[in-house]
Amino acid sequence: MLANRFAILTFALLCAGCGRVGFVTSTDATDHGDGDSDSHLHTAGGWSIAQLVDLGAGFSYVQQDFMDGQGAEVRDNAPSYVAALYLPFTAELAVIAGRSVIEVPADGHLTNHDYRPTTPDGDGPDAPGRMTYADFKNGDAALWLGSSSKDGGDGLYRIASDWTMQGIHVVNNVTLNNVYALVFDAGGSFDAQQAPSLYFATEQKLERQTAAATTQVNTALPLSVDDLAVVGNALYFTAEVQTEVELDRLGPGTSYLQNQLSSATSADLTLAEGPADAGLFAIRNDAALVTVDPASGTFTQVAWSDDPAWVWRAACVPRAPHRLAGRVIVIESNRVLDRDRLLVITPP
């Protein structure tokens, strides 16, 4: 692998038919805005990396943004997850920041949508974790968000293109209704649905949301599932096991046979939001973007940071017809500099 800093997107690549202006990006992998060098950014040969948008205009960092359980849990509002948006949304990306979602249009003019509940463990998302766009092909295209809390009151939420929120609370048999991991299977390949399906994990259960109904499809997931991804007719998930994160696969098909795939240990592993046709990607140990072999679970590092002050939080891979289809969008944060931004990583 070669460590490089690459000149990147001129954004003549922007789709002419979408009628939107382009992101403002630097012309190379150095951030000229404030003199801070981006020499900590590296890629494998042929890959390129650069800043896509600075998130500083979209929110202000608060270390003690939320206290759950009378202060038993304290959470900040650092950007933690990114998802791609499609029509009828006019923005390109959405970023979770605490109990808010930052709307990121192509012109870089950010809007912060606050969904904090009036009281903890009541109606509204206490701790949003993951989100993804889903279109069930019946006029119901929205951004779906999963949230959890210490004692209950959370679940699955639907955010419409006008950014209003409707909650769908999924209550299981231990009276908790926390939802964290979720994935949209546009083609319905996993477990042979052949229709757009949204899968989400709540406690040890895997649920399927379609245009028609919510259905429980598996009851043997680990308690600590963080991410879901669909590749072909198999579903992949990460689970926390003691001090490590492992990668497992369900299927292929309707067998729900579970196999552990990750042979290399990871202190942290976050699967990228988005389609599997561009490959299965993950952020590993808060510092590297890796591709994941869907058969063996082998990791291949394609981009990384060598400065521990810069932390990579999450990634998404937009699908066609998104203007950034096939590229990888990564959240990068530096609390020493109080900076949060989106990077764009482009394959060869």
Side-chain angles (χ1 to χ4, degrees):
M1 294 234 255
L2 300 175
N4 295 293
R5 290 164 53 197
F6 284 84
I8 61 110
L9 306 174
T10 63
F11 279 81
L13 56 89
L14 303 182
C15 79
C18 59
R20 307 177 194 173
V21 298
F23 288 104
V24 177
T25 64
S26 57
T27 57
D28 58 29
T30 299
D31 176 6
H32 297 291
D34 57 12
D36 292 329
S37 172
D38 279 354
S39 60
H40 67 284
L41 299 177
H42 306 278
T43 65
W47 292 74
S48 62
I49 187 169
Q51 177 175 303
L52 180 68
V53 63
D54 192 319
L55 295 173
F59 85 112
S60 297
Y61 177 73
V62 179
Q63 186 175 13
Q64 296 184 342
D65 180 66
F66 181 66
M67 292 184 292
D68 197 357
Q70 296 182 344
E73 294 184 13
V74 179
R75 304 187 186 99
D76 66 8
N77 69 336
S80 60
Y81 200 70
V82 57
L85 295 175
Y86 309 85
L87 293 175
F89 289 89
T90 57
E92 306 286 346
L93 301 166
V95 174
I96 293 175
R99 290 160 294 162
S100 298
V101 177
I102 302 173
E103 178 186 0
V104 184
D107 63 9
H109 293 108
L110 311 180
T111 302
N112 192 314
H113 301 280
D114 190 345
Y115 299 114
R116 66 186 61 216
T118 55
T119 58
D121 303 317
D123 291 334
D126 284 345
R130 303 290 186 257
M131 62 184 172
T132 195
Y133 171 96
D135 183 359
F136 296 115
K137 303 300 182 182
N138 64 343
D140 183 16
L143 180 65
W144 292 75
L145 179 144
S147 182
S148 60
S149 58
K150 183 175 176 57
D151 295 318
D154 278 82
L156 184 66
Y157 296 88
R158 177 187 179 277
I159 301 175
S161 58
D162 62 0
W163 296 95
T164 56
M165 176 177 283
Q166 175 187 355
I168 299 178
H169 296 276
V170 182
V171 180
N172 61 39
N173 61 7
V174 290
T175 71
L176 297 176
N177 53 349
N178 295 329
V179 172
Y180 202 75
L182 73 170
V183 64
F184 180 56
D185 182 9
S189 300
F190 177 61
D191 69 4
Q193 288 305 298
Q194 307 304 314
S197 301
L198 178 74
Y199 294 90
F200 58 97
T202 171
E203 298 304 312
Q204 290 182 276
K205 299 173 178 62
L206 180 66
E207 310 267 355
R208 182 198 310 117
Q209 177 77 35
T210 65
T214 302
T215 306
Q216 187 178 109
V217 297
N218 187 275
T219 60
L221 293 180
L223 278 170
S224 55
V225 172
D226 288 334
D227 290 292
L228 296 172
V230 171
V231 180
N233 61 346
L235 184 141
Y236 296 77
F237 66 88
T238 58
E240 299 175 28
V241 180
Q242 297 178 344
T243 60
E244 298 176 354
V245 177
E246 67 179 38
L247 175 66
D248 290 14
R249 180 182 66 213
L250 279 184
T254 58
S255 67
Y256 303 117
L257 179 65
Q258 183 175 331
N259 292 304
Q260 181 180 343
L261 294 181
S262 53
S263 56
T265 59
S266 297
D268 192 36
L269 189 70
T270 303
L271 298 179
E273 186 272 343
D277 53 6
L280 186 57
F281 289 87
I283 299 296
R284 189 178 182 208
N285 297 338
D286 296 327
L289 175 70
V290 298
T291 60
V292 183
D293 186 295
S296 65
T298 301
F299 303 129
T300 301
Q301 185 169 268
V302 296
W304 63 95
S305 165
D306 61 10
D307 183 346
W310 289 97
V311 178
W312 291 15
R313 297 295 186 188
C316 78
V317 186
R319 66 176 183 270
H322 199 283
R323 68 176 69 241
L324 297 173
R327 295 164 180 84
V328 185
I329 313 304
V330 171
I331 296 176
E332 183 182 60
S333 298
N334 187 321
R335 291 278 62 90
V336 176
L337 298 176
D338 196 23
R339 290 192 60 193
D340 301 272
R341 60 183 181 169
L342 299 179
L343 304 175
V344 57
I345 300 174
T346 306

